[in-house]
Amino acid sequence: MKSIKERNLPDVLLCADGTRVVSPEQWPRRRAEIDALLSDTLFGRLPNLPFTWRCETESEGDESYQAGKSILRVVRMDVTVGGKPFSWKFFLSLPKRETPVPAFLMLMFTRKLPADTVPVEEICDEGFGFVGFDYQDVTSDDGDFTNGLAALFYPDGRRGEHDGGKIALWAWAASRILDYLQTVPEIDSRRIYVTGHSRLGKSALWAAARDERFAGGASIQSGCSGAALARGKNGETVEKITNVFPYWFAPAYAAFANREAEMPFDQHDLLALAAPRRLLVTSAADDAWADPDGEALGCAAVAPVYALWGLSAPAERADIPDSIALLDGQVGYFRRPGTHCFSRDDWHALFRFFR
Ligand code: GCU
């Protein structure tokens, strides 16, 4: 594997005017620069339109839900963007506890509310609330920008070079749900973590990056354009991802196909936007497309940023075993044997890390 040094990453602490960030007080300025870079060139900016939101409980589970240990609520989110309305549903599963619980907000690949592809009962037994929505209930996973939230932001279905793609829209939806979660008394609003798998791991990272009310985030095998470094990447590349999924990103991103070395950022910059909050990156050993080594090095490359606060991230290693759990720092890294999937083992890493 190529070392961090050999990859010649842009210096995450170096401001555009050449000054170097050496203290937490100086970080917001650099943070704003990185946010602007990624907003212009990677995920894109959503048009700055006024919006409103309100939530309505659609149904509550009965007493037998999770043997009476937890409450179930299906909620409808009604938003307007630029005066035009759209709604989607999400669900909450909250363990009955005396004090507010930390919670995971998950962007999910299932339309079933409550989801049966997520170990929701186990999550609640571990003392976490679970909130989930189907990403395609927000807008479709394709190049059609005339449906759902996309149609509100892009009335004619067309985007400019730096306009936000589908990942930006899914992340925006997560932030609206976070607006609501701040008002839920059963949830500890200071401990809400956003998570997702693969393309939704990329989306979770962008949601955590943009919305500092998230106490942190966990990307599960987010790979290319997620946690994995682009320079020196194995498996999927900027060329491949922008050929097949151009609509996830700002159109401008495609200009860096086969020109990763010229990008003004790399993926450690995305991870840096989570600092100093809690960040967990996970990989599957057989997930060569995502590039587990590139994901681990992304974590190591963000260490200088967390060090501003005296917080730690996993150190760079030349060889990483198929099973490793580095869960003690403010940035965690976890790898398990097996293929691309948000598995039970990954959830166990989340429990340990965010406890
Ligand atoms: C494709 C894509 C990946 C993505 C994955 C997924 O494989 O190339 O970038 O992470 O889909 O979302 O499952």
Side-chain angles (χ1 to χ4, degrees), residues 109 197-199 202 221-222 224 236 241 245 248 289 340:
F109 285 109
H197 177 239
S198 210
R199 70 198 65 184
K202 309 181 212 295
Q221 303 139 33
S222 58
C224 184
E236 191 172 29
I241 204 167
F245 304 105
W248 288 351
W289 187 239
H340 191 70

Side-chain angles (χ1 to χ4, degrees), residues 1-10 229 231 297 301 316:
M1 129 172 61
K2 269 193 174 173
S3 68
I4 291 182
K5 194 155 182 283
E6 286 166 328
R7 293 178 194 231
N8 284 317
L9 303 180
L229 294 175
R231 287 167 175 78
L297 284 191
E316 180 172 3

